[in-house]
Amino acid sequence: MSETSLKGRLGALALVAPLVLFLAIFFAWPLVSMLKESVSDPVGSHAFPLTAAVAGDWDRQSEPPEALKQAFVDDLRAIDDQQLLGDAVRRLNSAQNGFRTLMSRTIRAVEEQPEGPLDLVAVDRRWADVRFWRAVADSTNPYTDRYLLAALDYERDASGRISALPAETSANTAILLRTLGIGAVVTLACALIGLPYAMLVASVDGWKRQVLLGAVLLPLWTSLLVRTAAWFILLQEQGLINDTLMSLGLIGSPLPLIFNRLGVVIAMTHVLLPFMVLPIYSVLLSIPRNLMPAAASLGAPPWRAFLRVLLPLSLRGVVSGSLLVFMTAIGYYITPALIGGAQDQMISSVIAFYAIGSANWGMAGALGAILLVATLALYTVYGRLSADRAGGR
Amino acid sequence: MPLSQSNIRFEKVSKAYGTLRVVDDLDLTIDEGEFLSLLGPSGSGKTTILMMLAGFEAPSGGTISVGSQRIDPLPPHRRNMGVVFQNYALFPHMSVAANVAFPLEMRGTPRLEIDSKVARALDMVQLGAMKDRRPAQLSGGQQQRVALARALVFEPSVVLMDEPLGALDKQLREQMQLDIRALHKRLGLTIVFVTHDQSEALTMSDRIAVFNRGKIEQIGTPREIYDQPRSRFVAQFIGETNLVEGTLAEAGDAGATVKLEGGGTIRVQPSDLRPEAGRILVSVRPERIRLGPDAASENAYPATVTDAVYHGDHLRIQLDNGAFGFVAKADRKTAEFNPGDRVMVSFAPSDCWMLPA
Amino acid sequence: MRAATLFKLLFGVLAVVFLIAPLVAILPLAFTSSVFLTYPIPGYSMRWFNELANANVWRMSIINSLIIGTGTTLLAGTLGTLAALGLRNAGLVLPGLFRTVFLLPMVVPAVVLGVGMQVFFVHLGLANSYAGVIAAHSVVAVPFVVVSVTASLAGIDRRVERAAASLGASPFTVFRRVTLPLALPGILSGAVFAFATSLDEVVLTLFVAGPNQRTLARQMFSSIRENISPAIAAAAFLFIVGTLLIAAIAVLVRRRTEKMKQPAEA
Ligand SMILES: Nc1ncnc2c1ncn2[C@@H]1O[C@H](COP(=O)(O)OP(=O)(O)O)[C@@H](O)[C@H]1O
Ligand SMILES: [Mg+2]
């Protein structure tokens, strides 16, 4: 039967379906959950459902309506999940200082009078302040852009306008810039070593080519941890590099190579170099071998033939390789975590800190969303480039 | 031609990929025991027709039957036709013997019988000594013969071959042409043979179907196809020919007269062709053209040699008579020709064939 | 010209040293008798291999890595092979889209995926379980299987399968007798890649595994971070020797299959 018949179509779908399903559950869904964490703020709406229902009727500027106040009191009377209440108080306090004491006083008052209307201003004068009510009403919105803004060092002020965080608390932009910076330096280093290396590989053959290719492939096949551990051993204070330099008398005391930027860049360049060499090499292989002799026969001296023929042709490989290296570099975690110091941590480390260290899913998700978008954008460009190359021939 | 019990019939068969009609309304009957070649340029739909017959492509319309049974709903493995693929399609992971044994295993043939049949099939193609080798360890010609043995070992009555000799060098190809032809005779096989090589089709076939863009341009014996092409396409695709344009001036039982564009006339053999506007093409094969100072014929023209190229067994001579150009093939023994020589060109009316313009 | 050659040679040697030296430098330290990971090595012993085999954390982590690696190989190997077969089928709609989606797990940064999995696995009840870790590892291993099997399937001439059908083999027999044996090298190398990926995976493990699923790589990570010892070098030694072995096998398999496929036409 023809392979494009209905049966064939169903058969093909049945074959890819298990993986599609698997990736939908274990790949797409986790990413979506992460993105959802970055914009979700469920505590207030869970803790104060009645308040949430009427919060929309209030314009946030005028005196809060009685219905809102009453709903809030009713919510406080109804709540029996102490953990949820604690979370809600913490959430409110982070939006408006003073809520911790205000709430404990209010909760006591609510417990003393379990029925009927309650004059909150009599309990605490702060309830006359509109800002506190605004915080309550805002907390019942299940979605927030707080984390995404904070990830870029912005916040909403009391009136809801977006403004930059004060310099001393704005660490994230610095880390984002550092991530891009380390990525750029590593990419540059890889290109500077990788391009001549790939040209060297392509220019020789026989065992020489095998050795040169093997030197690229062996690290690629070796565990990333092993390679990072190896650099740890080489770079440490009594490591092989410092030992050698000192015994040669080139330096008097050990150079600081580890737990700093230099070490991170060296180790990451080593780890990512194959991703630069291989794309360039594959482009070079596709260049007909007689192009350089042809240029020579047309009167070009070797260096001009190189500049006018080989270099432009290998440039697409450099671009592919650079995108690949940069894209991988900005997501790196293990190497900076083990070789770098506190000042060399990249965005992934910060994400891991929020997620594992402080269970702040919102921030982890928001920073993760930024990294994800950047990576996918780079990958799209990379995909376009390689598609062009495949189709343009 | 006698209609036999199990001839193969295509009726109104077409095949389209998207909007591209690759096979267009094909009607074709292949007799039992016939050697039919499908001849046509690359992309004319030959492989598609063969694959529909073998069951790998479903027709978009029409029916295919063998004898009284429709076979288009049958899957390939139930059609019982031997197929020799372009580039052979041997199983690279099996030995030669295992390749040939495969169809017998599929049919549940007992082991002992398989062994003897495989041995016989390999002997038939003179490859008995190679039975334990892998296909990659064989030469192209040897692989070709394994493919042939594999397609024949289960004694199918129909064998389909898709350019089976395309990858072989000239000498080997001619040897295999003879071998296949002999097998066809000896086993009484029906063979559908796809090729784009016109000389291969001419030497091997009982009949040739010439394809162009998914349609049969002409079907007939090699002699008919060569001597009596019915269209410009067939005349030019099969062999080389000179085509001269003119109008039909007079036609009778003894022959016809064609008035040429640039003046003069040609006498041609009788034909039923009666074109509407009288416009017509006359085809004259280069090897039928005689050259010489003394050429005497009803059709004789003075011409100038513009080029003469040595081809070993013959000379190819380019001629111009002012009104039209000719190519002629001349026996090396006749004479020497050099550019600039004036010669008489002549050809018998029986060597001139009319076709529609 | 001579200077250029000399320069090329120098550059080549330096680059190869940069690429290979770290891997070589770590190997002898696996046999040190000292507790420090430094040169010169005072004496040689097998104590750190003993440590790997006998110290509870290391032994458990090795066993966990084998369990999780095997699970990942089976899961990713099966899913990836099936998908690659589907991708090859001409009847598949939007093959480009499927291909892209199947490769995406290779692209998404591990930490991002890890955060998502940590959140999601808690909902699913898969947190701190072998099943969860195997699923997580399979997500990042499956692209390698798809790529490897797709490549080996692309090397199969479709006419060979058609030939089998024309000789009387049913679609399933064609698959079993022709497609599968010819794709086997690709499936095996995909499985090896999947195992290696799982063995080396740290980040996702950090996020989704509990203390009971601590793998060798995870153990190496924390031991480099917290109390580095030559046990790291011993583990690295095992990794590198394993890599070399696998590479050698891969080269042999490739040699054999290439010899098989190569047409001998003149
Ligand atoms: N699977 C397919 N999808 C689309 N077009 C096809 C397919 N197979 C063949 N074709 C087209 O059909 C035409 C005829 O092909 P084919 O039968 O192989 O020609 P031939 O064997 O005479 O060279 C060609 O133009 C080819 O491009
Ligand atoms: Mg064809």
Side-chain angles (χ1 to χ4, degrees):
Chain A
M1 287 271 102
S2 161
E3 280 153 348
T4 51
S5 67
L6 186 65
K7 219 172 113 191
R9 260 159 218 263
L10 290 178
L13 273 183
L15 286 169
V16 295
L19 182 55
V20 169
L21 202 67
F22 177 77
L23 289 180
I25 296 176
F26 290 103
F27 176 64
W29 205 336
L31 290 181
V32 170
S33 326
M34 184 205 70
L35 293 175
K36 235 165 79 186
E37 287 293 335
S38 73
V39 295
S40 83
D41 185 13
V43 173
S45 58
H46 279 173
F48 314 126
L50 301 172
T51 316
V54 295
D57 302 335
W58 178 41
D59 63 4
R60 296 329 195 235
Q61 302 297 330
S62 58
E63 177 69 13
E66 279 311 311
L68 181 74
K69 296 179 177 174
Q70 188 57 44
F72 186 58
V73 170
D74 290 343
D75 275 329
L76 287 180
R77 281 174 179 149
I79 199 163
D80 50 7
D81 181 342
Q82 286 308 309
Q83 164 125 34
L84 181 60
L85 186 57
D87 286 347
V89 172
R90 226 169 297 126
R91 160 77 182 81
L92 288 171
N93 199 56
S94 74
Q96 177 69 49
N97 260 330
F99 252 110
R100 213 178 285 276
T101 51
L102 172 60
M103 282 303 280
S104 58
R105 222 179 265 180
T106 312
I107 289 164
R108 218 174 310 125
V110 166
E111 277 166 359
E112 281 162 12
Q113 189 191 326
E115 293 285 330
L118 178 68
D119 185 2
L120 286 172
V121 181
V123 172
D124 192 309
R125 287 204 45 81
R126 280 175 284 188
W127 283 123
D129 186 343
V130 134
R131 285 180 305 162
F132 284 87
W133 282 109
R134 204 183 282 142
V136 169
D138 286 348
S139 81
T140 60
N141 183 349
Y143 294 103
T144 178
D145 54 9
R146 203 150 41 96
Y147 302 119
L148 285 172
L149 289 174
L152 295 166
D153 290 337
Y154 286 97
E155 63 175 354
R156 280 186 192 277
D157 60 18
S159 60
R161 259 189 314 247
I162 295 172
S163 63
L165 276 176
E168 67 273 13
T169 54
S170 60
N172 289 334
T173 349
I175 286 168
L176 283 174
L177 288 177
R178 181 194 297 161
T179 304
L180 298 180
I182 293 179
V185 171
V186 169
T187 307
L188 190 68
C190 282
L192 289 180
I193 304 174
L195 176 63
Y197 192 84
M199 286 181 164
L200 188 62
V201 182
S203 73
V204 298
D205 42 16
W207 67 268
K208 289 183 199 157
R209 178 179 282 195
Q210 296 303 323
V211 167
L212 289 174
L213 269 184
V216 174
L217 291 177
L218 192 64
L220 191 64
W221 286 339
T222 309
S223 154
L224 174 62
L225 265 178
V226 169
R227 284 181 284 168
T228 306
W231 279 108
F232 191 98
I233 290 166
L234 286 181
L235 295 173
Q236 62 188 323
E237 206 158 299
Q238 296 93 39
L240 216 45
I241 294 179
N242 272 323
D243 279 359
T244 312
L245 292 179
M246 277 170 64
S247 63
L248 289 177
L250 289 175
I251 50 172
S253 57
L255 293 174
L257 294 172
I258 198 163
F259 304 133
N260 62 21
R261 197 66 57 87
L262 181 64
V264 171
V265 169
I266 292 176
M268 282 180 69
T269 303
H270 178 256
V271 169
L272 294 173
L273 189 54
F275 294 113
M276 183 67 82
V277 172
L278 293 177
I280 302 177
Y281 174 67
S282 84
V283 166
L284 288 177
L285 274 195
S286 73
I287 299 175
R289 276 195 149 240
N290 53 13
L291 235 45
M292 292 298 279
S297 77
L298 297 170
W303 64 273
R304 293 200 63 175
F306 173 81
L307 280 183
R308 294 288 305 278
V309 180
L310 206 54
L311 196 61
L313 284 173
S314 48
L315 230 46
R316 351 139 123 309
V318 177
V319 172
S320 295
S322 299
L323 280 169
L324 211 55
V325 169
F326 187 73
M327 182 176 89
T328 317
I330 60 173
Y332 249 55
Y333 172 66
I334 293 174
T335 310
L338 294 180
I339 306 278
Q343 286 312 301
D344 312 305
Q345 295 310 308
M346 296 166 65
I347 185 169
S348 283
S349 305
V350 181
I351 297 173
F353 164 75
Y354 277 121
I356 298 175
S358 66
N360 185 344
W361 306 113
M363 276 316 291
L367 288 166
I370 291 172
L371 180 56
L372 182 63
V373 168
T375 306
L376 290 183
L378 287 167
Y379 181 60
T380 310
V381 176
Y382 172 80
R384 279 283 151 75
L385 276 180
S386 22
D388 279 356
R389 195 194 310 160
R393 233 187 260 150
Chain B
M1 256 172 268
L3 270 182
S4 72
Q5 269 337 113
S6 58
N7 52 7
I8 299 166
R9 277 193 324 280
F10 286 78
E11 282 167 283
K12 303 240 167 304
V13 170
S14 46
K15 175 74 187 177
Y17 293 110
T19 56
L20 180 71
R21 283 180 83 80
V22 177
V23 176
D24 202 0
D25 230 10
L26 175 74
D27 282 306
L28 174 64
T29 303
I30 304 164
D31 291 317
E32 187 170 5
E34 181 176 30
F35 193 123
L36 176 77
S37 289
L38 309 185
L39 176 64
S42 176
S44 57
K46 309 179 297 286
T47 298
T48 307
I49 291 169
L50 213 64
M51 290 300 121
M52 287 194 288
L53 187 51
F56 296 111
E57 300 285 352
S60 315
T63 61
I64 306 174
S65 36
V66 174
S68 55
Q69 193 199 3
R70 267 189 68 170
I71 61 161
D72 38 315
L74 284 182
H77 65 281
R78 308 263 288 281
R79 296 202 181 190
N80 210 32
M81 294 179 181
V83 183
V84 179
F85 288 81
Q86 231 167 338
N87 297 34
Y88 325 132
L90 297 178
F91 306 129
H93 57 305
M94 298 181 196
S95 70
V96 166
N99 262 279
V100 179
F102 188 88
L104 299 173
E105 281 174 44
M106 293 303 119
R107 286 165 177 74
T109 313
R111 192 72 243 176
L112 272 178
E113 202 177 321
I114 289 184
D115 291 344
S116 69
K117 282 192 168 177
V118 168
R120 231 179 308 142
L122 285 175
D123 283 343
M124 178 179 75
V125 295
Q126 293 135 35
L127 281 177
M130 306 277 176
K131 68 181 175 47
D132 294 323
R133 295 213 188 165
R134 287 284 167 93
Q137 298 167 308
L138 300 180
S139 73
Q142 289 168 332
Q143 292 183 30
Q144 214 292 323
R145 285 183 293 180
V146 175
L148 201 58
R150 190 179 67 173
L152 292 174
V153 70
F154 60 103
E155 294 163 19
S157 54
V158 179
V159 180
L160 314 179
M161 303 190 185
D162 191 0
E163 313 213 5
L165 309 179
L168 304 182
D169 57 39
K170 190 164 176 293
Q171 229 164 353
L172 200 53
R173 189 160 69 226
E174 282 166 3
Q175 179 59 45
M176 287 304 303
Q177 287 173 358
L178 293 179
D179 290 354
I180 293 175
R181 185 81 200 145
L183 279 171
H184 167 246
K185 286 253 163 57
R186 184 146 58 85
L187 305 176
L189 299 167
T190 305
I191 294 185
V192 184
F193 187 96
V194 167
T195 178
H196 65 255
D197 178 342
Q198 39 105 3
S199 79
E200 190 167 281
L202 288 172
T203 54
M204 297 183 75
S205 324
D206 295 329
R207 279 198 305 161
I208 300 174
V210 183
F211 279 86
N212 186 24
R213 301 192 189 160
K215 279 184 179 301
I216 295 184
E217 284 272 338
Q218 186 172 350
I219 182 164
T221 63
R223 208 170 273 279
E224 284 167 347
I225 298 282
Y226 190 79
D227 288 337
Q228 301 168 0
R230 281 215 226 97
S231 68
R232 178 196 280 264
F233 176 83
V234 176
Q236 286 181 327
F237 190 72
I238 313 292
E240 193 182 11
T241 196
N242 295 292
L243 290 176
V244 189
E245 204 166 337
T247 46
L248 188 59
E250 166 273 308
D253 288 343
T257 306
V258 175
K259 264 186 76 174
L260 300 182
E261 299 271 273
T265 58
I266 294 185
R267 282 292 288 172
V268 301
Q269 59 172 299
S271 152
D272 333 332
L273 198 62
R274 292 294 175 273
E276 301 255 318
R279 308 214 34 90
I280 211 116
L281 285 174
V282 177
S283 158
V284 189
R285 297 286 181 189
E287 71 276 11
R288 306 281 163 85
I289 292 179
R290 277 167 304 178
L291 299 173
D294 58 340
S297 157
E298 281 175 89
N299 298 318
Y301 308 88
T304 312
V305 175
T306 56
D307 198 9
V309 181
Y310 177 66
H311 274 257
D313 58 341
H314 69 272
L315 284 170
R316 224 180 98 91
I317 299 161
Q318 197 82 44
L319 299 147
D320 187 11
N321 103 319
F324 46 86
F326 276 103
V327 176
K329 281 185 185 171
D331 191 334
R332 277 174 57 216
K333 278 179 284 183
T334 44
E336 277 304 318
F337 294 94
N338 292 304
D341 290 353
R342 308 260 322 154
V343 291
M344 282 304 280
V345 174
S346 67
F347 31 84
S350 60
D351 288 332
C352 300
W353 175 253
M354 283 200 299
L355 31 128
Chain C
M1 200 64 216
R2 178 137 306 187
T5 315
L6 200 68
F7 182 76
K8 258 165 86 173
L9 186 71
L10 189 69
F11 173 79
V13 169
L14 282 179
V16 170
V17 166
F18 173 65
L19 283 165
I20 297 296
L23 305 182
V24 176
I26 197 173
L27 291 178
L29 290 172
F31 300 95
T32 187
S33 59
S34 144
V35 292
F36 298 111
L37 260 176
T38 51
Y39 284 97
I41 294 171
Y44 290 93
S45 83
M46 294 297 284
R47 64 181 281 203
W48 297 108
F49 288 98
N50 282 335
E51 164 102 3
L52 286 193
N54 298 322
N56 218 10
V57 275
W58 286 107
R59 205 185 55 228
M60 277 313 295
S61 72
I62 291 173
I63 293 172
N64 276 336
S65 273
L66 292 177
I67 294 174
I68 291 165
T70 308
T72 302
T73 306
L74 292 177
L75 184 59
T78 310
L79 292 173
T81 302
L82 289 178
L85 286 168
L87 282 179
R88 178 170 184 252
N89 192 310
L92 188 68
V93 286
L94 297 174
L97 179 70
F98 281 112
R99 200 158 301 150
T100 311
V101 167
F102 293 161
L103 297 189
L104 271 186
M106 256 195 311
V107 177
V108 170
V111 168
V112 172
L113 195 53
V115 171
M117 284 180 170
Q118 190 176 29
V119 173
F120 179 67
F121 280 17
V122 171
H123 289 304
L124 225 59
L126 278 175
N128 303 346
S129 71
Y130 282 102
V133 181
I134 289 173
H137 285 191
S138 294
V139 167
V140 287
V142 89
F144 294 102
V145 180
V146 172
V147 166
S148 162
V149 179
T150 300
S152 76
L153 286 174
I156 301 177
D157 185 347
R158 264 172 203 288
R159 282 173 296 204
V160 171
E161 293 166 294
R162 289 186 158 190
S166 81
L167 296 169
S170 67
F172 180 71
T173 310
V174 174
F175 177 73
R176 194 172 54 85
R177 292 285 307 269
V178 177
T179 315
L180 200 58
L182 290 176
L184 205 58
I187 296 173
L188 289 181
S189 76
V192 168
F193 270 124
F195 191 83
T197 306
S198 166
L199 210 58
D200 197 25
E201 163 51 49
V202 176
V203 180
L204 294 181
T205 317
L206 277 173
F207 282 90
V208 301
N212 287 333
Q213 291 88 39
R214 185 172 265 245
T215 60
L216 180 56
R218 169 77 180 78
Q219 170 61 23
M220 284 173 74
F221 179 77
S222 46
S223 124
I224 297 175
R225 244 189 168 178
E226 287 141 24
N227 58 334
I228 187 151
S229 82
I232 298 285
F237 182 88
L238 295 182
F239 265 99
I240 291 176
V241 169
T243 304
L244 285 175
L245 258 173
I246 287 171
I249 293 171
V251 167
L252 280 182
V253 168
R254 173 128 8 116
R255 283 257 165 86
R256 258 200 60 188
T257 48
E258 247 153 42
K259 210 194 283 169
M260 197 164 80
K261 276 183 190 157
Q262 202 168 74
E265 283 159 44

